[in-house]
Amino acid sequence: MTRVIVVTSGKGGVGKTTSSASFASGLALRGFKTAVIDFDVGLRNLDLIMGCERRVVYDFVNVISGDANLHQALIKDRHCENLFVLPASQTRDKDALTEEGVEKVLNDLKHMGFDYVICDSPAGIEHGAIMALTFADEAIVVTNPEVSSIRDSDRILGILQSKSRRARDGQEPVKEHLLITRYSAKRVDEGEMLSYKDVQELLRVPLIGVIPESESVLQASNSGTPVIHTKDEDAADAYQDVVARFLGEERELRFVNFEKPGLFKRLFGG
Amino acid sequence: MSKPIEFKTGTLSAMSAIIRELDNVRLADTMHTMLGGLGEFFAGEATVIDLTQLTKAPERADWAGLLSLLRRYGLQPIAVRQAPEHLVESARKAGLAILSADAGRMSAERPVAAPTAPAPVAPAPEPAQASLDMPAPPTGTATMIIERPLRSGQQIYARGSDVVILGGVSNGAEIIADGSIHCYGPLRGRALAGAQGHTAARIITTCFAPELVSIAGVYRTFERGIAANLAGKPAHAVLRANAAGQQTLNIETLQLD
Ligand SMILES: Nc1ncnc2c1ncn2[C@@H]1O[C@H](COP(=O)(O)OP(=O)(O)OP(=O)(O)O)[C@@H](O)[C@H]1O
Ligand SMILES: [Mg+2]
């Protein structure tokens, strides 16, 4: 059975595309046949982060409008065997994503034997974001530890409850996961940032992971390699943990406690 | 071929904005305090500007300003009831329908919210004991039960009944009931009980942190914060008569264990 997972947030720039790329890669590394779709029509970011922008010929909207078939449009990932990218188009016409069109593409992916389809949602609560979440079985709600991001995540959770196909058909609700990104244990320790516990307490959604703020995320995007592939890197390890928890493994939270380096050095003589 | 137009009668639920002073500056200020400065407080309800209780009629009215003020909070003004004679023409020009005091009285004047919650499943509540001076409590409708948190931007209206919410009410969400509101989990949004004037309605929560509570139209907002002895604690809001016989909104802690 194919599972459709939307990566969404309401607020822009919180790390949806970064997370979609690494999460999809992580699932593929575990051997699952995975597709990741960019719903951000007009902005197209995912292909850059996945490093496949030069190989884009056809896109999601071409497939929906029948100009190309899925086999032509899916781009095989450079880094993992089982991963395919369906890029967004440059069109300004956001209504090109029709509900029937999206449903048909998802059904075709199901018939092609995909285990997971990851939908990278655009920001906001408009058409594109709604299309990305409509057919979701599960949702990863990406939130930064700040009030405006939490508000928007709360809003998108409400929309998931009312506008998803599962909600409309009265099926079992979309399974929700909270992913906190750009987390700085140091700033939390200094009282400048909300802690992950505060965020979870406000949103009341099970936590699937906390991704630390890390410079290597930007480096990874610039080199077109999702950060999860970076060796010995906190953000990469945190994304590995997210994939493990998603697949039902127990993993303790890491990178959430700040150790004051001065004290450490004084005690152990650095 | 179907006819290009048809006429049918129907009733429309509408809000009444009962305006006692036709002074936009004062109204803006009052609405800001009442509604916590929250834009889109309402959800596009059709609204009748009700001037039946107008204390003094100004020489002219700034309808455009009033309409824009009401719209800013998410109301859709459609008509004016009992406008003073000399203001009728300008109201009509502003696009408002003109209603007399009784004509066009809307069937129900309250927020129209499409409940997004599952159908009620609980048995009908025992009729509460009503004291003589209170409007009869809503009866006959089963308690509405909402099994998920109510999220920012969502609104639920339990028409003619109590509502039980399992999971809390987020900031920016709104729960309205003709009866009482029972919130298990943090109440952080707006809660309006006794929406049709049932003064014995209560708002009960295991974690008190709302933006606004209102019982039978008597409301309180918390822009300046909530008293430390109440914040985050189990509490209920209840109307009690004070020495002068006026109903005041009391918020009291509850001992749950
Ligand atoms: N853990 C992190 N540490 C540091 N920077 C990060 C982290 N996660 C994301 N970023 C940076 O934040 C910016 C936005 O990330 P991204 O494009 O993934 O967000 P988005 O939610 O998809 O944005 P949009 O709403 O525009 O689609 C990027 O510059 C990215 O490099
Ligand atoms: Mg993005």
Short mmCIF file of all heavy atoms in Angstrom, two decimals, chain A residues 12-18 40 123 182 211-214 217-218 221, ligand 1:
data_model
loop_
_atom_site.label_atom_id
_atom_site.label_comp_id
_atom_site.label_asym_id
_atom_site.label_seq_id
_atom_site.Cartn_x
_atom_site.Cartn_y
_atom_site.Cartn_z
N GLY A 12 5.99 30.23 5.64
CA GLY A 12 7.02 30.00 4.64
C GLY A 12 8.42 29.95 5.24
O GLY A 12 8.67 30.47 6.32
N GLY A 13 9.33 29.30 4.52
CA GLY A 13 10.74 29.32 4.87
C GLY A 13 11.11 28.63 6.16
O GLY A 13 12.13 28.93 6.76
N VAL A 14 10.29 27.67 6.61
CA VAL A 14 10.58 27.02 7.89
C VAL A 14 11.38 25.73 7.71
O VAL A 14 11.89 25.18 8.68
CB VAL A 14 9.30 26.72 8.69
CG1 VAL A 14 8.60 28.01 9.09
CG2 VAL A 14 8.36 25.83 7.91
N GLY A 15 11.48 25.26 6.46
CA GLY A 15 12.28 24.04 6.22
C GLY A 15 11.48 22.88 5.64
O GLY A 15 11.89 21.73 5.78
N LYS A 16 10.39 23.17 4.96
CA LYS A 16 9.58 22.08 4.37
C LYS A 16 10.35 21.36 3.27
O LYS A 16 10.40 20.13 3.24
CB LYS A 16 8.30 22.65 3.73
CG LYS A 16 7.29 23.19 4.71
CD LYS A 16 6.07 23.74 3.99
CE LYS A 16 6.36 24.98 3.16
NZ LYS A 16 6.78 26.13 3.96
N THR A 17 10.94 22.15 2.36
CA THR A 17 11.60 21.52 1.22
C THR A 17 12.85 20.78 1.68
O THR A 17 13.10 19.65 1.27
CB THR A 17 11.92 22.59 0.15
OG1 THR A 17 10.68 23.23 -0.20
CG2 THR A 17 12.53 21.98 -1.07
N THR A 18 13.61 21.41 2.58
CA THR A 18 14.77 20.75 3.17
C THR A 18 14.36 19.42 3.80
O THR A 18 15.01 18.39 3.59
CB THR A 18 15.36 21.67 4.27
OG1 THR A 18 15.68 22.93 3.68
CG2 THR A 18 16.59 21.08 4.90
N ASP A 40 5.09 23.30 -5.11
CA ASP A 40 5.27 24.75 -5.08
C ASP A 40 5.36 25.30 -6.48
O ASP A 40 6.42 25.73 -6.94
CB ASP A 40 6.53 25.09 -4.27
CG ASP A 40 6.42 26.46 -3.62
OD1 ASP A 40 5.57 27.25 -4.07
OD2 ASP A 40 7.18 26.72 -2.67
N ALA A 123 4.14 27.23 0.96
CA ALA A 123 3.71 27.93 2.17
C ALA A 123 2.28 28.43 1.98
O ALA A 123 1.74 28.37 0.89
CB ALA A 123 4.65 29.10 2.44
N ARG A 182 15.31 24.02 12.71
CA ARG A 182 16.08 25.22 13.02
C ARG A 182 16.12 25.47 14.52
O ARG A 182 15.95 26.60 14.99
CB ARG A 182 15.52 26.43 12.26
CG ARG A 182 15.29 26.13 10.78
CD ARG A 182 15.26 27.37 9.96
NE ARG A 182 16.57 28.01 9.98
CZ ARG A 182 16.97 28.92 9.09
NH1 ARG A 182 16.15 29.30 8.15
NH2 ARG A 182 18.16 29.45 9.17
N ILE A 211 15.20 19.10 14.52
CA ILE A 211 16.38 19.27 13.67
C ILE A 211 17.12 20.52 14.11
O ILE A 211 16.55 21.61 14.14
CB ILE A 211 15.99 19.44 12.18
CG1 ILE A 211 14.99 18.38 11.73
CG2 ILE A 211 17.24 19.45 11.29
CD1 ILE A 211 15.48 16.96 11.77
N PRO A 212 18.39 20.38 14.48
CA PRO A 212 19.12 21.57 14.95
C PRO A 212 19.41 22.54 13.81
O PRO A 212 19.52 22.14 12.65
CB PRO A 212 20.41 20.98 15.50
CG PRO A 212 20.59 19.68 14.82
CD PRO A 212 19.21 19.17 14.50
N GLU A 213 19.52 23.80 14.17
CA GLU A 213 19.99 24.83 13.23
C GLU A 213 21.42 24.45 12.86
O GLU A 213 22.24 24.17 13.74
CB GLU A 213 19.95 26.18 13.93
CG GLU A 213 20.58 27.33 13.18
CD GLU A 213 19.65 27.91 12.12
OE1 GLU A 213 18.43 27.69 12.21
OE2 GLU A 213 20.15 28.57 11.20
N SER A 214 21.70 24.43 11.57
CA SER A 214 23.03 23.98 11.18
C SER A 214 23.44 24.59 9.85
O SER A 214 22.66 24.62 8.90
CB SER A 214 23.03 22.46 11.08
OG SER A 214 24.10 22.02 10.28
N VAL A 217 23.15 22.70 6.43
CA VAL A 217 21.92 22.60 5.65
C VAL A 217 22.04 23.44 4.39
O VAL A 217 21.72 23.00 3.29
CB VAL A 217 20.70 23.02 6.50
CG1 VAL A 217 19.46 23.15 5.63
CG2 VAL A 217 20.47 22.02 7.62
N LEU A 218 22.53 24.65 4.57
CA LEU A 218 22.68 25.54 3.41
C LEU A 218 23.75 25.02 2.45
O LEU A 218 23.56 25.01 1.24
CB LEU A 218 23.02 26.96 3.89
CG LEU A 218 22.97 28.03 2.80
CD1 LEU A 218 21.58 28.11 2.20
CD2 LEU A 218 23.37 29.38 3.38
N SER A 221 22.24 22.27 0.48
CA SER A 221 21.34 22.73 -0.59
C SER A 221 22.14 23.29 -1.75
O SER A 221 21.82 23.05 -2.91
CB SER A 221 20.40 23.83 -0.11
OG SER A 221 19.99 23.62 1.17
N1 LIG C 1 18.05 23.02 10.14
C1 LIG C 1 18.36 24.12 9.44
N2 LIG C 1 19.45 24.84 9.77
C2 LIG C 1 19.78 25.96 9.07
N3 LIG C 1 19.10 26.43 8.04
C3 LIG C 1 18.00 25.75 7.65
C4 LIG C 1 17.56 24.57 8.33
N4 LIG C 1 16.44 24.11 7.71
C5 LIG C 1 16.21 24.97 6.70
N5 LIG C 1 17.12 25.95 6.65
C6 LIG C 1 17.20 27.07 5.69
O1 LIG C 1 15.99 27.78 5.72
C7 LIG C 1 15.65 28.25 4.42
C8 LIG C 1 14.27 27.76 4.05
O2 LIG C 1 14.28 26.35 3.96
P1 LIG C 1 13.30 25.59 2.99
O3 LIG C 1 13.40 26.08 1.59
O4 LIG C 1 13.47 24.13 3.22
O5 LIG C 1 11.92 26.06 3.62
P2 LIG C 1 10.46 25.92 3.03
O6 LIG C 1 9.57 25.76 4.21
O7 LIG C 1 10.41 24.86 2.01
O8 LIG C 1 10.25 27.33 2.35
P3 LIG C 1 9.04 27.76 1.39
O9 LIG C 1 7.89 28.04 2.31
O10 LIG C 1 9.55 28.99 0.72
O11 LIG C 1 8.79 26.62 0.47
C9 LIG C 1 16.73 27.74 3.49
O12 LIG C 1 17.65 28.75 3.28
C10 LIG C 1 17.35 26.59 4.26
O13 LIG C 1 18.70 26.41 3.92
#
